[in-house]
Amino acid sequence: MSGTVTKESIRLIAKQHQIPSVKEEVTAALAPDAEYRIREIIQEATKFMRHSKRGILTTEDVNHALKLRNVEPIYGVQSRDDSHGDPDREVDFNEIINAQMPRIPRDCTMSLHWLAVEGVQPNIPQNPPSDQAELSMKKILKNSSGKTLVKPLVKDVLSKELQNYYERFTKAMQDREDDSEVDKFLSDLSTDPSLAQLLPYFVEFISDEVTASLDSLKILRRMLNIIYVLIHSPYLFVEPYLHQLMPPTLTCLLGKSLGKEDEESSDEQWSLRQQAASILQQMCRRYGDAYRSLIPRVTKTLLKAFLDPQKPLTTHFGSIEGICALGSQTIELIILPNLPSYLQGLEEHLTASNSSKQIQARKCMDALLKSAGIYVHEQSAKIRQGRSQEIESRESNKEEEGNRQGNHDKDGADGKEESDGQEGRNGSSLEHLHLSKLDQYYPQLVEIFGEGLLPYLSKEIQSI
């Protein structure tokens, strides 16, 4: 069809519309464009003809093609006769009978593959690439500043009921005044299995809302409550989304400034960071064995925040609480070796004229006392456990000795005494190991915190 619409045709059409002169550049540009549009309409009209099981193109097909392209249809021509098309070719039955038989089609077969496993699409040839699948689930919009925004098409993949529920859920969680429906939605998350399809949208909502609501402690606490419910719900499989839940949790723990300016030193902020540390602890306990790099990466993040003197004291407090949540071994590796140097930098904040800095420094000091107390308590518990194991071992040996009959020669008795001595040494080895660790840091901790450590010690350890 190339060259059907020429420059001369464009000029004639322009004259019919009372445009006497048209520039050469205009006709050169309009001719191929008009030809392309005509070809496009004819192709669409041909599709309508084929789908209608006809071999003749009618004006009705052209009108349908024009409507499909949002073009006003042609008025005054509505004909179904065969005067404007080639007649159907007559077919001789002898030609059909004597024609060569077509190839036998393949038998119908069916193969199975996984579209998704626990909400995650496997990378196999039958499934579309991950980037293409994500793009098909999203729509591209532009905001007022001209930037491109990509938003999920929730309506394409969720039922209307789930869409309505998700809208009500987000509206209730974003409401900074009314808390009446928050507990109801949290209860639904923990008990309703039908909400599993909304899990990726809940995770994305948490991430976006924590980033956008750092000035509201109420919203941040709601997000932490949602995370807590998600990881404890028996009906939701959270593991594929763990990497998306960890950043908002660490933001609530280590964020530079949470809440408004008048809330920076309030008890609400400190309790929010402690709640984030508790959730972090539960994540590491639940998924630390399955994901071996989880705890080392979290520990590395907390170490950087704790040792960076440029970080604010609020971040230091969060890092100390997070380290405490990971247990005594992490405390021994991170806090105790760096405690003297950290206290030197903290001293100037304790004596600062700024009351806000003093409050933050005291909170950091309380967190350090808590970490020292946890370490001392767990080490003392291990010492008690070693002693109890040693006592149980001795008692069991005595019972076995009483049950034995007395026909043992001297060599057998000597061998038994040697075996009992070996068991006694093995039972007390754990006690001596933990005592040596405690002796290494205990005098230093007592010098720093004094009697503040006593509530964490047992009576047996206090007497050592």
PDB file of all heavy atoms in Angstrom, residues 162 165-167 169-170 173 185 188-189 192 194-209 223 226-227 230 236 241 244-245:
ATOM      1  N   LEU A 162     -11.752  -7.823  49.328  1.00  0.00           N
ATOM      2  CA  LEU A 162     -10.417  -7.573  49.860  1.00  0.00           C
ATOM      3  C   LEU A 162      -9.958  -6.151  49.558  1.00  0.00           C
ATOM      4  O   LEU A 162      -9.248  -5.534  50.369  1.00  0.00           O
ATOM      5  CB  LEU A 162      -9.422  -8.575  49.277  1.00  0.00           C
ATOM      6  CG  LEU A 162      -9.522 -10.004  49.801  1.00  0.00           C
ATOM      7  CD1 LEU A 162      -8.514 -10.905  49.102  1.00  0.00           C
ATOM      8  CD2 LEU A 162      -9.306 -10.049  51.312  1.00  0.00           C
ATOM      9  N   TYR A 165     -11.620  -4.026  52.134  1.00  0.00           N
ATOM     10  CA  TYR A 165     -11.002  -4.246  53.450  1.00  0.00           C
ATOM     11  C   TYR A 165      -9.655  -3.527  53.536  1.00  0.00           C
ATOM     12  O   TYR A 165      -9.342  -2.895  54.550  1.00  0.00           O
ATOM     13  CB  TYR A 165     -10.817  -5.740  53.690  1.00  0.00           C
ATOM     14  CG  TYR A 165     -10.257  -6.071  55.055  1.00  0.00           C
ATOM     15  CD1 TYR A 165     -11.086  -6.273  56.141  1.00  0.00           C
ATOM     16  CD2 TYR A 165      -8.873  -6.149  55.260  1.00  0.00           C
ATOM     17  CE1 TYR A 165     -10.583  -6.556  57.395  1.00  0.00           C
ATOM     18  CE2 TYR A 165      -8.353  -6.427  56.509  1.00  0.00           C
ATOM     19  CZ  TYR A 165      -9.215  -6.629  57.570  1.00  0.00           C
ATOM     20  OH  TYR A 165      -8.687  -6.896  58.810  1.00  0.00           O
ATOM     21  N   TYR A 166      -8.855  -3.638  52.468  1.00  0.00           N
ATOM     22  CA  TYR A 166      -7.537  -3.001  52.480  1.00  0.00           C
ATOM     23  C   TYR A 166      -7.664  -1.483  52.569  1.00  0.00           C
ATOM     24  O   TYR A 166      -6.885  -0.829  53.290  1.00  0.00           O
ATOM     25  CB  TYR A 166      -6.777  -3.387  51.213  1.00  0.00           C
ATOM     26  CG  TYR A 166      -5.398  -2.769  51.116  1.00  0.00           C
ATOM     27  CD1 TYR A 166      -4.354  -3.238  51.905  1.00  0.00           C
ATOM     28  CD2 TYR A 166      -5.149  -1.717  50.247  1.00  0.00           C
ATOM     29  CE1 TYR A 166      -3.097  -2.671  51.823  1.00  0.00           C
ATOM     30  CE2 TYR A 166      -3.900  -1.146  50.165  1.00  0.00           C
ATOM     31  CZ  TYR A 166      -2.870  -1.631  50.947  1.00  0.00           C
ATOM     32  OH  TYR A 166      -1.631  -1.058  50.865  1.00  0.00           O
ATOM     33  N   GLU A 167      -8.630  -0.899  51.884  1.00  0.00           N
ATOM     34  CA  GLU A 167      -8.826   0.550  51.957  1.00  0.00           C
ATOM     35  C   GLU A 167      -9.239   0.978  53.358  1.00  0.00           C
ATOM     36  O   GLU A 167      -8.743   1.981  53.891  1.00  0.00           O
ATOM     37  CB  GLU A 167      -9.881   0.970  50.932  1.00  0.00           C
ATOM     38  CG  GLU A 167      -9.410   0.848  49.483  1.00  0.00           C
ATOM     39  CD  GLU A 167     -10.508   1.169  48.486  1.00  0.00           C
ATOM     40  OE1 GLU A 167     -11.618   1.515  48.955  1.00  0.00           O
ATOM     41  OE2 GLU A 167     -10.266   1.084  47.275  1.00  0.00           O
ATOM     42  N   PHE A 169      -8.593  -0.691  56.095  1.00  0.00           N
ATOM     43  CA  PHE A 169      -7.439  -0.955  56.968  1.00  0.00           C
ATOM     44  C   PHE A 169      -6.446   0.201  56.922  1.00  0.00           C
ATOM     45  O   PHE A 169      -6.011   0.717  57.966  1.00  0.00           O
ATOM     46  CB  PHE A 169      -6.770  -2.258  56.526  1.00  0.00           C
ATOM     47  CG  PHE A 169      -5.515  -2.601  57.279  1.00  0.00           C
ATOM     48  CD1 PHE A 169      -5.565  -3.307  58.462  1.00  0.00           C
ATOM     49  CD2 PHE A 169      -4.268  -2.206  56.799  1.00  0.00           C
ATOM     50  CE1 PHE A 169      -4.412  -3.621  59.157  1.00  0.00           C
ATOM     51  CE2 PHE A 169      -3.110  -2.511  57.482  1.00  0.00           C
ATOM     52  CZ  PHE A 169      -3.186  -3.220  58.665  1.00  0.00           C
ATOM     53  N   THR A 170      -6.054   0.605  55.723  1.00  0.00           N
ATOM     54  CA  THR A 170      -5.071   1.698  55.600  1.00  0.00           C
ATOM     55  C   THR A 170      -5.624   3.011  56.148  1.00  0.00           C
ATOM     56  O   THR A 170      -4.892   3.783  56.773  1.00  0.00           O
ATOM     57  CB  THR A 170      -4.664   1.867  54.135  1.00  0.00           C
ATOM     58  OG1 THR A 170      -5.837   2.062  53.327  1.00  0.00           O
ATOM     59  CG2 THR A 170      -3.919   0.645  53.638  1.00  0.00           C
ATOM     60  N   MET A 173      -5.428   2.841  59.970  1.00  0.00           N
ATOM     61  CA  MET A 173      -4.064   2.910  60.481  1.00  0.00           C
ATOM     62  C   MET A 173      -3.426   4.282  60.271  1.00  0.00           C
ATOM     63  O   MET A 173      -2.506   4.661  61.003  1.00  0.00           O
ATOM     64  CB  MET A 173      -3.198   1.836  59.798  1.00  0.00           C
ATOM     65  CG  MET A 173      -3.603   0.417  60.164  1.00  0.00           C
ATOM     66  SD  MET A 173      -3.482   0.133  61.947  1.00  0.00           S
ATOM     67  CE  MET A 173      -4.278  -1.460  62.087  1.00  0.00           C
ATOM     68  N   PHE A 185      -8.710  -4.482  63.648  1.00  0.00           N
ATOM     69  CA  PHE A 185      -7.957  -4.887  62.459  1.00  0.00           C
ATOM     70  C   PHE A 185      -6.754  -5.751  62.841  1.00  0.00           C
ATOM     71  O   PHE A 185      -6.423  -6.710  62.138  1.00  0.00           O
ATOM     72  CB  PHE A 185      -7.501  -3.658  61.686  1.00  0.00           C
ATOM     73  CG  PHE A 185      -8.577  -3.041  60.830  1.00  0.00           C
ATOM     74  CD1 PHE A 185      -9.077  -1.793  61.113  1.00  0.00           C
ATOM     75  CD2 PHE A 185      -9.089  -3.731  59.748  1.00  0.00           C
ATOM     76  CE1 PHE A 185     -10.063  -1.226  60.333  1.00  0.00           C
ATOM     77  CE2 PHE A 185     -10.084  -3.179  58.951  1.00  0.00           C
ATOM     78  CZ  PHE A 185     -10.580  -1.917  59.248  1.00  0.00           C
ATOM     79  N   ASP A 188      -8.002  -9.169  63.432  1.00  0.00           N
ATOM     80  CA  ASP A 188      -8.296  -9.854  62.162  1.00  0.00           C
ATOM     81  C   ASP A 188      -7.024 -10.410  61.536  1.00  0.00           C
ATOM     82  O   ASP A 188      -7.008 -11.527  61.006  1.00  0.00           O
ATOM     83  CB  ASP A 188      -8.963  -8.884  61.186  1.00  0.00           C
ATOM     84  CG  ASP A 188     -10.370  -8.516  61.615  1.00  0.00           C
ATOM     85  OD1 ASP A 188     -10.927  -9.235  62.460  1.00  0.00           O
ATOM     86  OD2 ASP A 188     -10.902  -7.508  61.123  1.00  0.00           O
ATOM     87  N   LEU A 189      -5.946  -9.641  61.603  1.00  0.00           N
ATOM     88  CA  LEU A 189      -4.687 -10.094  61.000  1.00  0.00           C
ATOM     89  C   LEU A 189      -4.176 -11.371  61.644  1.00  0.00           C
ATOM     90  O   LEU A 189      -3.566 -12.212  60.980  1.00  0.00           O
ATOM     91  CB  LEU A 189      -3.622  -9.001  61.130  1.00  0.00           C
ATOM     92  CG  LEU A 189      -3.627  -7.878  60.094  1.00  0.00           C
ATOM     93  CD1 LEU A 189      -2.500  -6.909  60.376  1.00  0.00           C
ATOM     94  CD2 LEU A 189      -3.492  -8.424  58.692  1.00  0.00           C
ATOM     95  N   ASP A 192      -7.523 -14.330  60.873  1.00  0.00           N
ATOM     96  CA  ASP A 192      -8.260 -14.525  59.619  1.00  0.00           C
ATOM     97  C   ASP A 192      -7.338 -15.061  58.526  1.00  0.00           C
ATOM     98  O   ASP A 192      -6.473 -14.341  58.029  1.00  0.00           O
ATOM     99  CB  ASP A 192      -8.883 -13.197  59.170  1.00  0.00           C
ATOM    100  CG  ASP A 192      -9.913 -13.403  58.060  1.00  0.00           C
ATOM    101  OD1 ASP A 192      -9.965 -14.518  57.516  1.00  0.00           O
ATOM    102  OD2 ASP A 192     -10.662 -12.454  57.756  1.00  0.00           O
ATOM    103  N   SER A 194      -8.040 -15.687  55.440  1.00  0.00           N
ATOM    104  CA  SER A 194      -8.352 -15.157  54.113  1.00  0.00           C
ATOM    105  C   SER A 194      -7.570 -13.896  53.778  1.00  0.00           C
ATOM    106  O   SER A 194      -7.569 -13.454  52.629  1.00  0.00           O
ATOM    107  CB  SER A 194      -9.855 -14.859  54.013  1.00  0.00           C
ATOM    108  OG  SER A 194     -10.232 -13.839  54.928  1.00  0.00           O
ATOM    109  N   LEU A 195      -6.892 -13.302  54.760  1.00  0.00           N
ATOM    110  CA  LEU A 195      -6.126 -12.079  54.517  1.00  0.00           C
ATOM    111  C   LEU A 195      -4.714 -12.367  54.013  1.00  0.00           C
ATOM    112  O   LEU A 195      -3.934 -11.435  53.813  1.00  0.00           O
ATOM    113  CB  LEU A 195      -6.046 -11.242  55.794  1.00  0.00           C
ATOM    114  CG  LEU A 195      -7.377 -10.747  56.356  1.00  0.00           C
ATOM    115  CD1 LEU A 195      -7.150  -9.956  57.634  1.00  0.00           C
ATOM    116  CD2 LEU A 195      -8.110  -9.900  55.330  1.00  0.00           C
ATOM    117  N   ALA A 196      -4.379 -13.633  53.791  1.00  0.00           N
ATOM    118  CA  ALA A 196      -3.030 -13.966  53.330  1.00  0.00           C
ATOM    119  C   ALA A 196      -2.717 -13.340  51.977  1.00  0.00           C
ATOM    120  O   ALA A 196      -1.573 -12.988  51.686  1.00  0.00           O
ATOM    121  CB  ALA A 196      -2.855 -15.483  53.257  1.00  0.00           C
ATOM    122  N   GLN A 197      -3.737 -13.156  51.138  1.00  0.00           N
ATOM    123  CA  GLN A 197      -3.514 -12.567  49.818  1.00  0.00           C
ATOM    124  C   GLN A 197      -3.115 -11.099  49.920  1.00  0.00           C
ATOM    125  O   GLN A 197      -2.496 -10.550  49.001  1.00  0.00           O
ATOM    126  CB  GLN A 197      -4.786 -12.712  48.980  1.00  0.00           C
ATOM    127  CG  GLN A 197      -4.581 -12.473  47.492  1.00  0.00           C
ATOM    128  CD  GLN A 197      -5.825 -12.749  46.684  1.00  0.00           C
ATOM    129  OE1 GLN A 197      -6.844 -13.152  47.238  1.00  0.00           O
ATOM    130  NE2 GLN A 197      -5.756 -12.536  45.392  1.00  0.00           N
ATOM    131  N   LEU A 198      -3.455 -10.461  51.030  1.00  0.00           N
ATOM    132  CA  LEU A 198      -3.115  -9.048  51.220  1.00  0.00           C
ATOM    133  C   LEU A 198      -1.743  -8.842  51.841  1.00  0.00           C
ATOM    134  O   LEU A 198      -1.334  -7.689  52.032  1.00  0.00           O
ATOM    135  CB  LEU A 198      -4.171  -8.373  52.104  1.00  0.00           C
ATOM    136  CG  LEU A 198      -5.526  -8.066  51.473  1.00  0.00           C
ATOM    137  CD1 LEU A 198      -6.493  -7.577  52.535  1.00  0.00           C
ATOM    138  CD2 LEU A 198      -5.387  -7.044  50.371  1.00  0.00           C
ATOM    139  N   LEU A 199      -1.039  -9.913  52.181  1.00  0.00           N
ATOM    140  CA  LEU A 199       0.232  -9.786  52.893  1.00  0.00           C
ATOM    141  C   LEU A 199       1.236  -8.889  52.170  1.00  0.00           C
ATOM    142  O   LEU A 199       1.833  -8.004  52.801  1.00  0.00           O
ATOM    143  CB  LEU A 199       0.828 -11.178  53.142  1.00  0.00           C
ATOM    144  CG  LEU A 199       2.171 -11.211  53.877  1.00  0.00           C
ATOM    145  CD1 LEU A 199       2.069 -10.523  55.223  1.00  0.00           C
ATOM    146  CD2 LEU A 199       2.652 -12.646  54.042  1.00  0.00           C
ATOM    147  N   PRO A 200       1.499  -9.050  50.858  1.00  0.00           N
ATOM    148  CA  PRO A 200       2.471  -8.150  50.220  1.00  0.00           C
ATOM    149  C   PRO A 200       2.054  -6.688  50.264  1.00  0.00           C
ATOM    150  O   PRO A 200       2.911  -5.795  50.357  1.00  0.00           O
ATOM    151  CB  PRO A 200       2.546  -8.670  48.773  1.00  0.00           C
ATOM    152  CG  PRO A 200       1.332  -9.492  48.582  1.00  0.00           C
ATOM    153  CD  PRO A 200       1.003 -10.067  49.917  1.00  0.00           C
ATOM    154  N   TYR A 201       0.750  -6.414  50.256  1.00  0.00           N
ATOM    155  CA  TYR A 201       0.286  -5.035  50.317  1.00  0.00           C
ATOM    156  C   TYR A 201       0.436  -4.476  51.725  1.00  0.00           C
ATOM    157  O   TYR A 201       0.747  -3.293  51.901  1.00  0.00           O
ATOM    158  CB  TYR A 201      -1.168  -4.956  49.854  1.00  0.00           C
ATOM    159  CG  TYR A 201      -1.356  -5.447  48.440  1.00  0.00           C
ATOM    160  CD1 TYR A 201      -1.803  -6.741  48.186  1.00  0.00           C
ATOM    161  CD2 TYR A 201      -1.035  -4.633  47.361  1.00  0.00           C
ATOM    162  CE1 TYR A 201      -1.949  -7.208  46.891  1.00  0.00           C
ATOM    163  CE2 TYR A 201      -1.186  -5.087  46.065  1.00  0.00           C
ATOM    164  CZ  TYR A 201      -1.639  -6.376  45.837  1.00  0.00           C
ATOM    165  OH  TYR A 201      -1.773  -6.833  44.552  1.00  0.00           O
ATOM    166  N   PHE A 202       0.227  -5.319  52.754  1.00  0.00           N
ATOM    167  CA  PHE A 202       0.476  -4.882  54.126  1.00  0.00           C
ATOM    168  C   PHE A 202       1.952  -4.533  54.323  1.00  0.00           C
ATOM    169  O   PHE A 202       2.285  -3.523  54.953  1.00  0.00           O
ATOM    170  CB  PHE A 202       0.074  -5.984  55.117  1.00  0.00           C
ATOM    171  CG  PHE A 202      -1.403  -6.190  55.227  1.00  0.00           C
ATOM    172  CD1 PHE A 202      -1.935  -7.462  55.401  1.00  0.00           C
ATOM    173  CD2 PHE A 202      -2.271  -5.128  55.155  1.00  0.00           C
ATOM    174  CE1 PHE A 202      -3.300  -7.670  55.499  1.00  0.00           C
ATOM    175  CE2 PHE A 202      -3.654  -5.314  55.248  1.00  0.00           C
ATOM    176  CZ  PHE A 202      -4.162  -6.589  55.426  1.00  0.00           C
ATOM    177  N   VAL A 203       2.833  -5.368  53.784  1.00  0.00           N
ATOM    178  CA  VAL A 203       4.269  -5.141  53.945  1.00  0.00           C
ATOM    179  C   VAL A 203       4.681  -3.837  53.264  1.00  0.00           C
ATOM    180  O   VAL A 203       5.431  -3.024  53.840  1.00  0.00           O
ATOM    181  CB  VAL A 203       5.059  -6.332  53.365  1.00  0.00           C
ATOM    182  CG1 VAL A 203       6.553  -6.025  53.350  1.00  0.00           C
ATOM    183  CG2 VAL A 203       4.789  -7.591  54.180  1.00  0.00           C
ATOM    184  N   GLU A 204       4.184  -3.607  52.066  1.00  0.00           N
ATOM    185  CA  GLU A 204       4.516  -2.364  51.356  1.00  0.00           C
ATOM    186  C   GLU A 204       3.931  -1.150  52.073  1.00  0.00           C
ATOM    187  O   GLU A 204       4.558  -0.091  52.142  1.00  0.00           O
ATOM    188  CB  GLU A 204       3.991  -2.439  49.926  1.00  0.00           C
ATOM    189  CG  GLU A 204       4.414  -1.268  49.054  1.00  0.00           C
ATOM    190  CD  GLU A 204       3.992  -1.429  47.611  1.00  0.00           C
ATOM    191  OE1 GLU A 204       3.398  -2.478  47.290  1.00  0.00           O
ATOM    192  OE2 GLU A 204       4.241  -0.507  46.813  1.00  0.00           O
ATOM    193  N   PHE A 205       2.739  -1.302  52.632  1.00  0.00           N
ATOM    194  CA  PHE A 205       2.115  -0.211  53.377  1.00  0.00           C
ATOM    195  C   PHE A 205       2.938   0.149  54.613  1.00  0.00           C
ATOM    196  O   PHE A 205       3.130   1.340  54.921  1.00  0.00           O
ATOM    197  CB  PHE A 205       0.697  -0.621  53.784  1.00  0.00           C
ATOM    198  CG  PHE A 205       0.031   0.330  54.737  1.00  0.00           C
ATOM    199  CD1 PHE A 205      -0.409   1.565  54.308  1.00  0.00           C
ATOM    200  CD2 PHE A 205      -0.137  -0.014  56.075  1.00  0.00           C
ATOM    201  CE1 PHE A 205      -1.028   2.450  55.189  1.00  0.00           C
ATOM    202  CE2 PHE A 205      -0.743   0.849  56.950  1.00  0.00           C
ATOM    203  CZ  PHE A 205      -1.193   2.085  56.516  1.00  0.00           C
ATOM    204  N   ILE A 206       3.441  -0.858  55.323  1.00  0.00           N
ATOM    205  CA  ILE A 206       4.266  -0.601  56.509  1.00  0.00           C
ATOM    206  C   ILE A 206       5.514   0.183  56.130  1.00  0.00           C
ATOM    207  O   ILE A 206       5.873   1.180  56.777  1.00  0.00           O
ATOM    208  CB  ILE A 206       4.640  -1.931  57.185  1.00  0.00           C
ATOM    209  CG1 ILE A 206       3.402  -2.604  57.781  1.00  0.00           C
ATOM    210  CG2 ILE A 206       5.687  -1.710  58.279  1.00  0.00           C
ATOM    211  CD1 ILE A 206       3.644  -4.021  58.245  1.00  0.00           C
ATOM    212  N   SER A 207       6.192  -0.255  55.084  1.00  0.00           N
ATOM    213  CA  SER A 207       7.424   0.411  54.668  1.00  0.00           C
ATOM    214  C   SER A 207       7.166   1.861  54.283  1.00  0.00           C
ATOM    215  O   SER A 207       7.899   2.778  54.708  1.00  0.00           O
ATOM    216  CB  SER A 207       8.039  -0.362  53.498  1.00  0.00           C
ATOM    217  OG  SER A 207       9.227   0.263  53.060  1.00  0.00           O
ATOM    218  N   ASP A 208       6.123   2.107  53.498  1.00  0.00           N
ATOM    219  CA  ASP A 208       5.818   3.479  53.063  1.00  0.00           C
ATOM    220  C   ASP A 208       5.385   4.348  54.231  1.00  0.00           C
ATOM    221  O   ASP A 208       5.772   5.521  54.323  1.00  0.00           O
ATOM    222  CB  ASP A 208       4.730   3.465  51.995  1.00  0.00           C
ATOM    223  CG  ASP A 208       5.189   2.786  50.710  1.00  0.00           C
ATOM    224  OD1 ASP A 208       6.417   2.668  50.521  1.00  0.00           O
ATOM    225  OD2 ASP A 208       4.324   2.361  49.918  1.00  0.00           O
ATOM    226  N   GLU A 209       4.595   3.794  55.133  1.00  0.00           N
ATOM    227  CA  GLU A 209       4.043   4.588  56.217  1.00  0.00           C
ATOM    228  C   GLU A 209       5.102   4.956  57.251  1.00  0.00           C
ATOM    229  O   GLU A 209       5.085   6.061  57.797  1.00  0.00           O
ATOM    230  CB  GLU A 209       2.895   3.824  56.891  1.00  0.00           C
ATOM    231  CG  GLU A 209       1.949   4.698  57.687  1.00  0.00           C
ATOM    232  CD  GLU A 209       1.239   5.727  56.825  1.00  0.00           C
ATOM    233  OE1 GLU A 209       1.033   5.476  55.627  1.00  0.00           O
ATOM    234  OE2 GLU A 209       0.916   6.802  57.379  1.00  0.00           O
ATOM    235  N   MET A 223       2.544   0.653  63.308  1.00  0.00           N
ATOM    236  CA  MET A 223       3.277  -0.145  62.324  1.00  0.00           C
ATOM    237  C   MET A 223       4.045  -1.284  63.009  1.00  0.00           C
ATOM    238  O   MET A 223       4.097  -2.407  62.494  1.00  0.00           O
ATOM    239  CB  MET A 223       4.243   0.742  61.535  1.00  0.00           C
ATOM    240  CG  MET A 223       3.576   1.834  60.703  1.00  0.00           C
ATOM    241  SD  MET A 223       2.385   1.205  59.503  1.00  0.00           S
ATOM    242  CE  MET A 223       0.840   1.731  60.275  1.00  0.00           C
ATOM    243  N   ILE A 226       1.638  -3.975  63.827  1.00  0.00           N
ATOM    244  CA  ILE A 226       1.288  -4.773  62.651  1.00  0.00           C
ATOM    245  C   ILE A 226       2.390  -5.791  62.364  1.00  0.00           C
ATOM    246  O   ILE A 226       2.129  -6.961  62.067  1.00  0.00           O
ATOM    247  CB  ILE A 226       1.061  -3.860  61.429  1.00  0.00           C
ATOM    248  CG1 ILE A 226      -0.132  -2.937  61.676  1.00  0.00           C
ATOM    249  CG2 ILE A 226       0.814  -4.697  60.177  1.00  0.00           C
ATOM    250  CD1 ILE A 226      -0.335  -1.902  60.590  1.00  0.00           C
ATOM    251  N   ILE A 227       3.661  -5.351  62.449  1.00  0.00           N
ATOM    252  CA  ILE A 227       4.773  -6.273  62.214  1.00  0.00           C
ATOM    253  C   ILE A 227       4.746  -7.413  63.226  1.00  0.00           C
ATOM    254  O   ILE A 227       4.950  -8.582  62.883  1.00  0.00           O
ATOM    255  CB  ILE A 227       6.115  -5.511  62.281  1.00  0.00           C
ATOM    256  CG1 ILE A 227       6.208  -4.491  61.144  1.00  0.00           C
ATOM    257  CG2 ILE A 227       7.295  -6.475  62.200  1.00  0.00           C
ATOM    258  CD1 ILE A 227       7.441  -3.613  61.210  1.00  0.00           C
ATOM    259  N   LEU A 230       2.051  -9.819  62.233  1.00  0.00           N
ATOM    260  CA  LEU A 230       2.377 -10.558  61.017  1.00  0.00           C
ATOM    261  C   LEU A 230       3.335 -11.715  61.297  1.00  0.00           C
ATOM    262  O   LEU A 230       3.152 -12.826  60.785  1.00  0.00           O
ATOM    263  CB  LEU A 230       2.989  -9.617  59.978  1.00  0.00           C
ATOM    264  CG  LEU A 230       2.056  -8.567  59.353  1.00  0.00           C
ATOM    265  CD1 LEU A 230       2.818  -7.740  58.334  1.00  0.00           C
ATOM    266  CD2 LEU A 230       0.848  -9.212  58.702  1.00  0.00           C
ATOM    267  N   LEU A 236      -0.039 -16.667  58.139  1.00  0.00           N
ATOM    268  CA  LEU A 236       0.697 -15.835  57.191  1.00  0.00           C
ATOM    269  C   LEU A 236       2.141 -16.321  57.085  1.00  0.00           C
ATOM    270  O   LEU A 236       2.796 -16.551  58.112  1.00  0.00           O
ATOM    271  CB  LEU A 236       0.672 -14.368  57.625  1.00  0.00           C
ATOM    272  CG  LEU A 236      -0.713 -13.729  57.764  1.00  0.00           C
ATOM    273  CD1 LEU A 236      -0.592 -12.306  58.273  1.00  0.00           C
ATOM    274  CD2 LEU A 236      -1.460 -13.757  56.439  1.00  0.00           C
ATOM    275  N   TYR A 241       9.069 -12.004  52.858  1.00  0.00           N
ATOM    276  CA  TYR A 241       8.991 -10.554  53.003  1.00  0.00           C
ATOM    277  C   TYR A 241       9.827 -10.055  54.183  1.00  0.00           C
ATOM    278  O   TYR A 241       9.693  -8.889  54.579  1.00  0.00           O
ATOM    279  CB  TYR A 241       7.534 -10.120  53.195  1.00  0.00           C
ATOM    280  CG  TYR A 241       6.614 -10.675  52.136  1.00  0.00           C
ATOM    281  CD1 TYR A 241       5.846 -11.810  52.382  1.00  0.00           C
ATOM    282  CD2 TYR A 241       6.530 -10.083  50.884  1.00  0.00           C
ATOM    283  CE1 TYR A 241       5.003 -12.334  51.412  1.00  0.00           C
ATOM    284  CE2 TYR A 241       5.688 -10.599  49.905  1.00  0.00           C
ATOM    285  CZ  TYR A 241       4.935 -11.717  50.180  1.00  0.00           C
ATOM    286  OH  TYR A 241       4.117 -12.230  49.208  1.00  0.00           O
ATOM    287  N   GLN A 244      11.834  -6.956  53.682  1.00  0.00           N
ATOM    288  CA  GLN A 244      11.084  -5.716  53.606  1.00  0.00           C
ATOM    289  C   GLN A 244      10.588  -5.264  54.977  1.00  0.00           C
ATOM    290  O   GLN A 244      10.306  -4.076  55.171  1.00  0.00           O
ATOM    291  CB  GLN A 244       9.885  -5.891  52.666  1.00  0.00           C
ATOM    292  CG  GLN A 244      10.272  -6.117  51.209  1.00  0.00           C
ATOM    293  CD  GLN A 244       9.070  -6.387  50.335  1.00  0.00           C
ATOM    294  OE1 GLN A 244       8.677  -7.528  50.096  1.00  0.00           O
ATOM    295  NE2 GLN A 244       8.466  -5.330  49.831  1.00  0.00           N
ATOM    296  N   LEU A 245      10.473  -6.194  55.925  1.00  0.00           N
ATOM    297  CA  LEU A 245      10.038  -5.828  57.276  1.00  0.00           C
ATOM    298  C   LEU A 245      11.194  -5.366  58.150  1.00  0.00           C
ATOM    299  O   LEU A 245      10.983  -4.628  59.125  1.00  0.00           O
ATOM    300  CB  LEU A 245       9.343  -7.025  57.930  1.00  0.00           C
ATOM    301  CG  LEU A 245       8.002  -7.447  57.333  1.00  0.00           C
ATOM    302  CD1 LEU A 245       7.501  -8.712  58.010  1.00  0.00           C
ATOM    303  CD2 LEU A 245       6.975  -6.338  57.455  1.00  0.00           C
TER     304      LEU A 245
END
